[in-house]
Amino acid sequence: MTSLSPGPVGVGAGVPLAAVSGPTQHMAAAANPSLHSTAVDNTKIRTVLLGSGMLLSFTDNDVPDPTAVSFAHDIDRLAAMWDDGSSRWRGDSVLMIKGHAIALKHWPTVYKYGKPGQWKGTKNKWAEWRYVVERFCQGTAEEFWAEFTVPDGKRMAFTNIVATLREARLRRDAEISAQASQAGSVQYTYRKGSRTHTMQRPHAIAKRFLNKHTG
């Protein structure tokens, strides 16, 4: 009697389609279409609102790893890629999802809750970009470089610009935090789990104070 040989490993045996690769994967999908549906259902769909007004849906599989890019010698390019709702936006970015250029300001939305480790290795660099681009976009490029050019006429290095802006922000936060304390007996608090805590960090207090008084 001729014995029947078992089918490809995982097909019809409860093994997710994602665990089967190569030609076997296509055989599995054809033999049992529900396997493909299950794989898709187990992938969380997230969204990002683009400057055009389009709500782009994507999964982690659509997102490439953060690219190793530097704007140290091209702050104009950084500003052009930062905000897709800005007049500086040129429709170009180092991050593409489903054929759409994704502005750098959206990186926390894209990477923070994505693949493990992606945002952890990127957030410090992204924060430095934000320090610089926010100051750069407050005026003209000429005004920016007038502030960040040393006496011998050379432009400051990117890392020195970041350090200068960070120090300025620390001073500002300390001043606003002190102003908030003098404004009255109101304490700024936040909730963590079921408990309420009093804010201690000047940056957090300054951010809450500014949001309250500037709308």
Side-chain angles (χ1 to χ4, degrees):
M1 179 182 295
T2 303
S3 60
L4 297 177
S5 60
V9 176
V11 178
V15 178
L17 181 60
V20 185
S21 60
T24 303
Q25 183 178 22
H26 299 292
M27 293 169 60
N32 191 348
S34 65
L35 287 176
H36 179 70
S37 299
T38 300
V40 172
D41 291 343
N42 288 337
T43 302
K44 184 177 180 181
I45 296 176
R46 294 184 288 130
T47 60
V48 59
L49 182 61
L50 305 183
S52 64
M54 175 184 177
L55 189 64
L56 178 65
S57 299
F58 64 95
T59 69
D60 290 345
N61 293 330
D62 298 314
V63 182
D65 289 335
T67 183
V69 62
S70 172
F71 297 101
H73 301 291
D74 198 348
I75 296 177
D76 283 291
R77 184 170 178 242
L78 169 62
M81 291 188 179
W82 183 258
D83 186 354
D84 53 355
S86 165
S87 60
R88 297 176 185 269
W89 175 249
R90 301 172 188 167
D92 180 38
S93 178
V94 293
L95 173 61
M96 302 290 293
I97 297 179
K98 292 185 172 181
H100 297 275
I102 307 300
L104 297 175
K105 77 169 190 175
H106 297 308
W107 276 32
T109 300
V110 172
Y111 287 116
K112 192 172 183 179
Y113 303 105
K115 298 173 185 176
Q118 282 187 324
W119 183 239
K120 182 178 180 180
T122 304
K123 64 180 181 180
N124 288 339
K125 177 173 67 174
W126 183 88
E128 292 181 352
W129 293 345
R130 185 180 63 179
Y131 279 137
V132 174
V133 78
E134 286 182 350
R135 177 62 189 86
F136 185 84
C137 292
Q138 286 178 3
T140 65
E142 291 74 17
E143 291 170 340
F144 177 87
W145 287 117
E147 180 178 352
F148 296 103
T149 296
V150 294
D152 65 1
K154 293 182 179 179
R155 292 179 173 181
M156 291 175 62
F158 192 89
T159 52
N160 291 338
I161 294 173
V162 170
T164 300
L165 291 171
R166 183 180 286 118
E167 290 173 2
R169 178 164 294 194
L170 288 173
R171 289 195 301 270
R172 185 208 67 172
D173 289 346
E175 292 171 358
I176 295 176
S177 179
Q179 181 182 350
S181 299
Q182 296 171 1
S185 58
V186 177
Q187 287 188 325
Y188 292 92
T189 61
Y190 66 96
R191 292 187 64 83
K192 187 174 183 180
S194 60
R195 302 185 64 181
T196 299
H197 303 266
T198 300
M199 289 183 175
Q200 301 293 334
R201 294 188 301 129
H203 175 69
I205 295 172
K207 184 176 180 180
R208 179 72 64 83
F209 182 83
L210 289 174
N211 287 342
K212 180 179 179 181
H213 290 83
T214 61

